[in-house]
Amino acid sequence: MKILIAGAGEVGFHLAKLLSYESQNITLIDTDKESLAYADTHLDIRVLRGDATSISLLLDAEVSKSDLVIGVTASETTNITLCMLAKQLGCKRTIARISNTEFVDKKELIKFEELGIDELISPEELAATEIQMLLNKSGFNDTYEFEEGKLIMVGVSLPKSAPFVGKSVKEAAQIFPELNFMPIALKRTGTQRTLIPRGDTNFKPGDQVYFITTKEGVDELYKLTGKRNEEIKNVMILGGSKVGFKTARDLCANKFNVKLVEKSKEKSIDLADLLPNALIINGDGRNVELLDEESLESMDAFIAVTGNSETNIMSCLVAKSKNIKKTIALVENMDYFQLSHSIGIDTLINKKLLAANNIFRHIRKGEVVALMRLNNLNAEILEFVVKPKSKVTGRIIRELNFPRTATIGGVVRGDTGKIALGDFLIQAGDRVVVCCLPEAIPKIEKLFL
C-alpha cells in the first residue's frame, strides 16, 4: 500500500516504523527538520518537509495514488484539513487524529465522511477507554472487548496455584471440558519469545497468557487463575493531562470516587471547574507525604498519567507498596513494557500503541473490523468478517490449512460469542478472531479475502 503520514511526532513516527517493517510504501511529512532527519536515517521511508495542507506538497507526495492518508500532527485543524484535501485530490481513504472528543461523540450529527474524513481517532480517548476496561476487570493486566463484549480478550500472569499449570493445553481441555475460553498467545517468564499455544504446549508458573473468552468464561478464568476481580470504587489519578481529565470525567460519570492530583495551580483550578464530581488536589504527586496525607492507602486503584513515564512508573511502585489493588502507568517508551510485570506494576499503557492498533486494521487485507497488538508480545489479534467467497467459508476449522503460528480464538455469530474448537463450521457473516505472529499474517489474510 502507498501510505502518507503527516506528523513525525510520537504517533506518526511509531506508525511509520511499524509500517516500514512490513515493506509498505511510506511517505512521512512534517515541518520539523530534526524529526524528519531522524526518521530518514532510521527508517526505510520517504520524508518530505513542509506544511501537510500545502496542495503542491501533496501533489509532490503523489497523494492521488495513495491508498491511505493519516493525519497525526499536533494540530487537529491541520489533520482535518489534510484529510479533506487528500480525498478531493484522489486518495482512497483518510484518517485524522483529533483532540476534541466532541467530534467523535457527535459524529452522527456531522457527516465527516461527506467532508472527506473516513475515520477519526483520539489517542487520549482510546487511553481513557482502555483504563476504564482495566478497572472493570481488575484481576487481569490486559483486556480488550470484541463486538461490545461478545468475546473478550484477557491477559494474566499464571500463579503456581493455577490448576492447569504443569499441564498441556490438551490435558487442560480434557480436565475442564466445560470451559468457555481458549489460550491464544503465551510468553514465558524471562524470555522475549511469543508462542501460539498448540495442544502439546505446557503451561508454566509465571507465563503471561492471553485468552479469548465469553462473559461467562471471565468468571471461570478468575477462579482457575486464582485472581480476584476486586471491586474498584476509590481511584486516585496522578496528572491532569488530557488522558487524566478524560479518565476522571468517564470514571465520575460511572459513579467512581475520584481524586486527581495536579502540580499546576492554574490547571488545577480549571479541572475543578470541569470536574465538579472529582476532588482536585493541587500538589506534586511525586511527594510521598502528600499522597499519604490524601489517603493513598485507602484507594482501590492508582492511575499515573503525567507527561513523564519515569514519574508514572515510580509513583505506581509507591502505590503498590501501599497494597493498592490496581496500578496503571502511562508510558511513552515501548521498551518499558518488558519491565512491567517484573517490577510489579499491574499494567502499562501506551497511546502510540493504542492509536496504531486502531489504524492498522485499515491496512490489513480482508475485511478487518478490529485489530490489536499485544503489549510486549510479538503478536496481533485480528477480527475478520467472513465473506461468502472466502476460503474459510463453509469449512470446519481443523480442515483449514492454518499455519502453526496462528490460531482461531473465537467467533461472533449474530449476537453470540462462541469459543471455536476444531469441529466448528465457519459461515459467511461470522466474525472470526485470529491471533497470529507476524510471519503468518500474509497467509491468514489470503484465507479471509
Side-chain angles (χ1 to χ4, degrees):
M1 291 177 73
K2 182 172 175 56
I3 302 169
L4 266 60
I5 302 173
E10 293 169 349
V11 176
F13 179 82
H14 183 63
L15 273 171
K17 181 172 73 172
L18 293 177
L19 293 168
S20 67
Y21 289 164
E22 301 195 356
S23 302
Q24 305 283 2
N25 182 354
I26 309 297
T27 299
L28 183 62
I29 302 170
D30 202 291
T31 55
D32 186 72
K33 187 177 180 180
E34 288 184 9
S35 297
L36 286 181
Y38 184 83
D40 194 26
T41 54
H42 287 76
L43 305 175
D44 183 20
I45 62 173
R46 181 190 179 195
V47 299
L48 283 175
R49 186 182 176 200
D51 182 355
T53 60
S54 163
I55 295 175
S56 58
L57 186 77
L58 292 175
L59 292 174
D60 185 26
E62 298 182 319
V63 66
S64 62
K65 298 178 182 177
S66 298
D67 298 291
L68 180 64
V69 166
I70 306 169
V72 285
T73 72
S75 165
E76 69 180 2
T77 304
T78 298
N79 299 334
I80 289 171
T81 305
L82 163 69
C83 290
M84 293 168 66
L85 292 173
K87 208 56 178 285
Q88 294 264 345
L89 293 170
C91 171
K92 293 178 183 174
R93 191 163 185 81
T94 62
I95 300 173
R97 172 186 178 174
I98 50 106
S99 53
N100 183 354
T101 52
E102 263 196 331
F103 289 150
V104 176
D105 299 337
K106 295 182 168 57
K107 61 183 178 182
E108 70 279 356
L109 299 177
I110 307 296
K111 307 298 182 186
F112 284 99
E113 287 189 10
E114 293 180 10
L115 297 174
I117 306 163
D118 296 303
E119 191 86 12
L120 294 168
I121 62 160
S122 166
E124 293 80 15
E125 189 74 28
L126 292 171
T129 302
E130 178 87 351
I131 289 168
Q132 176 110 358
M133 282 199 295
L134 289 164
L135 293 183
N136 289 338
K137 295 179 178 62
S138 61
F140 302 120
N141 49 41
D142 209 347
T143 184
Y144 186 86
E145 294 187 354
F146 296 90
E147 301 300 318
E148 299 179 339
K150 294 181 179 66
L151 285 177
I152 303 165
M153 187 281 301
V154 295
V156 63
S157 182
L158 293 184
K160 291 181 182 178
S161 58
F164 45 76
V165 164
K167 297 178 174 60
S168 68
V169 172
K170 189 174 182 180
E171 288 170 339
Q174 291 170 345
I175 297 169
F176 309 105
E178 302 302 318
L179 295 184
N180 291 302
F181 57 79
M182 171 80 75
I184 57 167
L186 179 154
K187 195 180 81 163
R188 302 281 189 216
T189 182
T191 73
Q192 294 304 315
R193 187 180 171 210
T194 302
L195 301 174
I196 300 297
R198 315 304 299 184
D200 57 357
T201 303
N202 285 315
F203 294 110
K204 296 181 180 180
D207 283 351
Q208 175 67 18
V209 186
Y210 289 82
F211 297 93
I212 293 289
T213 183
T214 59
K215 288 180 179 177
E216 299 76 27
V218 169
D219 292 333
E220 293 173 359
L221 274 172
Y222 276 125
K223 293 173 186 174
L224 288 172
T225 58
K227 304 291 182 179
R228 293 171 59 193
N229 189 24
E230 304 273 9
E231 183 182 8
I232 304 290
K233 202 65 188 170
N234 302 311
V235 180
M236 182 177 284
I237 301 172
L238 179 61
S241 61
K242 288 179 181 178
V243 176
F245 165 70
K246 294 180 195 317
T247 301
R249 178 200 62 190
D250 293 349
L251 293 179
C252 286
N254 285 291
K255 308 302 181 185
F256 285 80
N257 300 320
V258 178
K259 289 184 179 181
L260 190 153
V261 181
E262 169 53 44
K263 189 176 180 181
S264 164
K265 185 175 182 179
E266 186 179 349
K267 187 180 282 188
S268 297
I269 294 170
D270 290 340
L271 287 169
D273 291 336
L274 293 168
L275 299 167
N277 295 321
L279 175 62
I280 309 300
I281 300 157
N282 175 220
D284 190 342
R286 294 172 296 182
N287 185 334
V288 178
E289 289 183 3
L290 172 70
L291 297 180
D292 286 339
E293 287 173 7
E294 297 301 335
S295 305
L296 173 62
E297 71 282 350
S298 68
M299 294 294 113
D300 300 314
F302 184 85
I303 302 163
V305 289
T306 74
N308 186 291
S309 300
E310 290 75 19
T311 296
N312 295 340
I313 289 172
M314 293 307 297
S315 57
C316 277
L317 291 176
V318 171
K320 208 63 184 175
S321 72
K322 306 288 185 183
N323 297 315
I324 303 298
K325 297 171 187 174
K326 187 78 174 178
T327 54
I328 302 172
L330 178 72
V331 298
E332 296 303 329
N333 191 331
M334 301 290 286
D335 296 332
Y336 286 148
F337 278 106
Q338 299 175 13
L339 303 173
S340 60
H341 305 306
S342 61
I343 62 179
I345 297 174
D346 293 314
T347 306
L348 299 181
I349 60 172
N350 180 282
K351 290 186 294 182
K352 293 180 286 188
L353 192 64
L354 293 170
N357 285 344
N358 200 277
I359 291 170
F360 251 71
R361 63 191 175 94
H362 299 286
I363 293 151
R364 293 282 170 247
K365 295 173 184 172
E367 191 174 341
V368 179
V369 291
L371 179 148
M372 71 168 300
R373 288 175 167 243
L374 296 175
N375 290 349
N376 199 24
L377 269 74
N378 187 30
E380 285 187 16
I381 302 180
L382 303 103
E383 182 186 356
F384 289 97
V385 177
V386 178
K387 299 176 181 177
K389 294 184 179 179
S390 297
K391 292 180 181 178
V392 299
T393 306
R395 298 179 65 183
I396 61 173
I397 289 175
R398 73 164 65 93
E399 291 178 350
L400 299 174
N401 186 22
F402 234 64
R404 285 188 64 81
T405 50
T407 187
I408 292 177
V411 176
V412 176
R413 179 173 292 166
D415 292 327
T416 308
K418 302 173 182 287
I419 301 304
L421 302 177
D423 58 353
F424 188 91
L425 180 71
I426 296 176
Q427 300 176 4
D430 284 348
R431 294 175 178 240
V432 180
V433 176
V434 178
C435 181
C436 55
L437 300 187
E439 60 266 26
I441 290 173
K443 191 168 184 178
I444 297 300
E445 288 175 335
K446 289 177 183 176
L447 289 172
F448 287 92
L449 281 175

